[in-house]
Amino acid sequence: MVISFSLALLLGVVLVVMIRGGSIKWGPAIVAILFGFSLASTGAADPIRDFLESIGNSIGAVDDSISSVGPVDEPVDPTGP
């Protein structure tokens, strides 16, 4: 639930930036929003939600693996001092 709300907020911000930047006009933006609402009520909503959740879990797993490694030391010169 937290991921879906954050994703909706992120996509909303991107949409506003695109409208303000002129790369998308209000008409197509409204059509895209309405398409999203209608798509959410179809059978395609569950696979899309599962796909986005798996991406979020993958990003979390990468973040966990990076933070568990710890700081990286300087490389050791194999030829010696």
Side-chain angles (χ1 to χ4, degrees):
M1 183 66 175
V2 173
I3 291 176
S4 64
F5 180 72
S6 300
L7 183 61
L9 182 64
L10 175 68
L11 291 175
V13 169
V14 168
L15 186 62
V16 168
V17 168
M18 290 177 70
I19 290 171
R20 300 275 307 203
S23 59
I24 190 172
K25 301 294 182 196
W26 280 102
I30 291 172
V31 169
I33 291 169
L34 293 174
F35 175 71
F37 278 114
S38 65
L39 186 65
S41 65
T42 65
D46 289 334
I48 292 171
R49 187 177 302 117
D50 292 342
F51 174 70
L52 293 175
E53 186 175 328
S54 69
I55 289 174
N57 291 338
S58 298
I59 291 171
V62 169
D63 182 45
D64 290 342
S65 67
I66 290 173
S67 62
S68 68
V69 172
V72 177
D73 294 332
E74 293 182 24
V76 178
D77 187 9
T79 59

